[in-house]
Amino acid sequence: MAITALAFDFGTKSIGCAVGQSITKSAQPLPAFKAQDGIPNWEAIEKCLAEWKPDKVIVGLPLNMDGTEQPLTQRAKKFANRLHGRFGVTVILQDERLTTTEARAEIFQRGGFKALEKGKVDSISACIILESWFNNFEE
């Protein structure tokens, strides 16, 4: 059975978003959501969930390289809890170490320095988070 999943790369100013499905284990970037100190436009998130009807929602969990929590870790967890509480979706936290670095490298390869705008980096990061979750996912 194919699973459709949405992934979010939480940030205080921008929240990257991607959609994908388990058959191809691939993801495509969606427009990033602007956030005010980590608080998104919940109506925009609700529209996105209604449009894609994901079976699972994956939220990137920012950790330090040694696996310890950082200040953004708790805020990402709170965002994940709010997604579940508001919309009743199944939310899974996915380690996101190195995704931003990987996303910047990928965008730079495709379009050079000018392509590195914040929203694009966040949504490509969300793709990487989702694809890494798919690679570890077993039905």
Side-chain angles (χ1 to χ4, degrees):
M1 184 181 89
I3 283 185
T4 299
L6 270 181
F8 292 101
D9 178 33
F10 178 79
T12 56
K13 293 187 176 95
S14 175
I15 298 171
C17 187
V19 64
Q21 48 84 22
S22 60
I23 291 176
T24 60
K25 295 187 179 198
S26 64
Q28 65 183 41
L30 297 173
F33 295 95
K34 291 207 179 313
Q36 294 277 326
D37 193 29
I39 299 164
N41 175 340
W42 288 108
E43 283 175 23
I45 300 246
E46 186 172 17
K47 276 184 192 160
C48 183
L49 290 168
E51 181 180 345
W52 294 102
K53 297 177 180 47
D55 301 297
K56 307 247 186 266
V57 175
I58 315 303
V59 174
L61 189 63
L63 296 167
N64 292 316
M65 289 314 293
D66 65 1
T68 58
E69 293 196 354
Q70 53 171 282
L72 208 55
T73 308
Q74 283 306 317
R75 297 188 70 179
K77 285 181 178 178
K78 191 172 172 182
F79 172 73
N81 288 337
R82 286 214 173 119
L83 279 171
H84 175 71
R86 273 177 187 250
F87 308 113
V89 291
T90 302
V91 180
I92 298 161
L93 294 167
Q94 172 71 25
D95 181 349
E96 65 163 53
R97 282 176 278 184
L98 293 178
T99 54
T100 301
T101 308
E102 216 176 299
R104 285 181 194 277
E106 190 171 312
I107 292 168
F108 191 78
Q109 267 182 330
R110 291 183 188 181
F113 187 72
K114 287 182 182 152
L116 289 177
E117 69 186 62
K118 184 77 178 105
K120 272 192 187 154
V121 172
D122 293 337
S123 289
I124 298 285
S125 292
C127 282
I128 294 166
I129 289 164
L130 186 50
E131 287 174 359
S132 69
W133 181 76
F134 279 137
N135 288 334
N136 297 312
F137 169 76
E138 297 193 12
E139 293 181 51

